[in-house]
Amino acid sequence: MSVSQINETESIQAELQELQDTQEELVEAQQNSVWSGGWARTIGLASVVSIALGGFNDSVDAIEKIVNFGLSQMTDIPSHNKLEKIYIRASAVLLDETFGAPVYIKRSSTNDVIKYYQDENFIISAISRDNAIVAYLVFPSEGFLPETIEHAGGIQMFDNNFNAIESINEIRASFARTGNYYIEENNGGEFGFLYSSVSGVSEFISPLSPASQKSLSDVADALMLDENLSESVQSLRSNTKPNFFGYSTLGLGPLEDAILSNTEYRLINKI
């Protein structure tokens, strides 16, 4: 814990101790008060309690920050709680309230503004329209498993290859120096009637196996040449696991732009 955090903790403890001492004095005053000045003393002490309580909300907020800091050092609970707050058609203001200011902003080829927010366990890219979230992707850090119970891939989405998700509406792929990725739109999930689930794999999160790299290259070529696409996609889906996910009402066009390039990822993480 840093020096500033230690000082903040000591200040909070001092305020709470002062409040406790004041309350004890108030009880004693009420027990021992007499008409000749007893009530004046009680009223005076009540004022002190009121002043002490004035900083109580700040103390509670500070304690909450310390608790969350401790939890973040030992568990993934704060990160899961942040993701739990974000959902399609929620107010766009919720993103800034939950994550603070975006760490990166750009405009997509469809002229949407894409904002990127960072938690110590993931990066989230979001597109908003009419002040509501209409699409977002979550890129987990290595070792962090976000909740995907609402996704078409289910709770074990990251444990299985893509072919465990039965439905595909649309796919996109890139095999280039700027970044290799595959992304698909899936039907289903808990809220499948309101928006689509999105599954993908990107090398900026974790390296692809040689077999997956070959399959991804074949898919990218098939998309460009418009031939053997079904066979290429089937091969990739049968030997590759997703490493990011999301939800969308927009299809894959704008979300393809929301996938970070290798350079953008290094810029955000300064690596």
Side-chain angles (χ1 to χ4, degrees):
M1 186 177 292
S2 66
V3 173
S4 63
Q5 290 167 336
I6 292 174
N7 291 338
E8 187 177 21
T9 303
E10 291 176 348
S11 175
I12 292 168
Q13 291 174 340
E15 286 185 18
L16 293 176
Q17 184 61 51
E18 181 181 356
L19 177 59
Q20 181 179 351
D21 293 343
T22 303
Q23 289 173 324
E24 290 175 355
E25 290 181 17
L26 178 57
V27 171
E28 182 181 353
Q30 289 174 325
Q31 291 174 343
N32 300 326
S33 64
V34 292
W35 288 106
S36 56
W39 279 109
R41 173 178 167 79
T42 300
I43 293 171
L45 289 172
S47 299
V48 173
V49 171
S50 177
I51 293 171
L53 287 174
F56 185 70
N57 287 336
D58 291 338
S59 299
V60 170
D61 289 341
I63 291 171
E64 183 178 359
K65 289 179 181 178
I66 292 174
V67 170
N68 284 336
F69 174 78
L71 286 174
S72 67
Q73 301 303 303
M74 298 178 288
T75 74
D76 295 331
I77 292 175
S79 296
H80 286 294
N81 288 344
K82 288 179 183 178
L83 283 180
E84 180 68 21
K85 295 178 181 178
I86 307 303
Y87 56 93
I88 295 294
R89 295 193 177 91
S91 170
V93 176
L94 192 61
L95 291 163
D96 287 351
E97 291 178 348
T98 304
F99 299 105
V103 295
Y104 189 62
I105 302 173
K106 69 180 182 183
R107 193 173 292 275
S108 73
S109 58
T110 54
N111 212 36
D112 285 306
V113 175
I114 306 173
K115 295 183 179 182
Y116 296 80
Y117 300 84
Q118 190 168 34
D119 175 83
E120 62 181 6
N121 285 310
F122 59 84
I123 294 173
I124 183 170
S125 62
I127 300 175
S128 301
R129 292 181 181 177
D130 298 324
N131 298 316
I133 301 169
V134 292
Y136 68 91
L137 296 176
V138 178
F139 304 100
S141 303
E142 186 175 358
F144 177 66
L145 287 176
E147 297 287 348
T148 56
I149 191 170
E150 297 174 359
H151 193 278
I155 195 169
Q156 294 183 318
M157 171 188 161
F158 290 110
D159 296 327
N160 300 316
N161 292 330
F162 280 99
N163 60 358
I165 308 174
E166 296 181 358
S167 63
I168 310 176
N169 293 339
E170 184 183 4
I171 68 151
R172 299 289 179 94
S174 172
F175 195 80
R177 287 190 302 174
T178 54
N180 300 333
Y181 63 81
Y182 168 82
I183 184 172
E184 65 180 36
E185 183 184 32
N186 314 110
N187 286 329
E190 185 171 350
F191 300 101
F193 291 109
L194 299 176
Y195 47 82
S196 298
S197 296
V198 176
S199 314
V201 60
S202 174
E203 272 199 326
F204 84 73
I205 299 176
S206 57
L208 298 176
S209 68
S212 293
Q213 281 191 337
K214 175 64 168 58
S215 296
L216 178 57
S217 176
D218 291 342
V219 171
D221 289 343
L223 283 169
M224 184 179 300
L225 301 173
D226 195 23
E227 59 183 28
N228 301 321
L229 181 59
S230 178
E231 294 86 344
S232 300
V233 171
Q234 184 177 358
S235 174
L236 183 144
R237 297 185 86 242
S238 64
N239 61 46
T240 306
K241 295 179 180 180
N243 62 16
F244 72 86
F245 75 107
Y247 303 97
S248 177
T249 63
L250 305 177
L252 294 186
L255 276 185
E256 190 176 19
D257 293 326
I259 302 172
L260 289 167
S261 68
N262 294 336
T263 303
E264 289 172 327
Y265 180 73
R266 290 197 304 270
L267 174 63
I268 290 176
N269 289 277
K270 299 295 184 181
I271 58 176

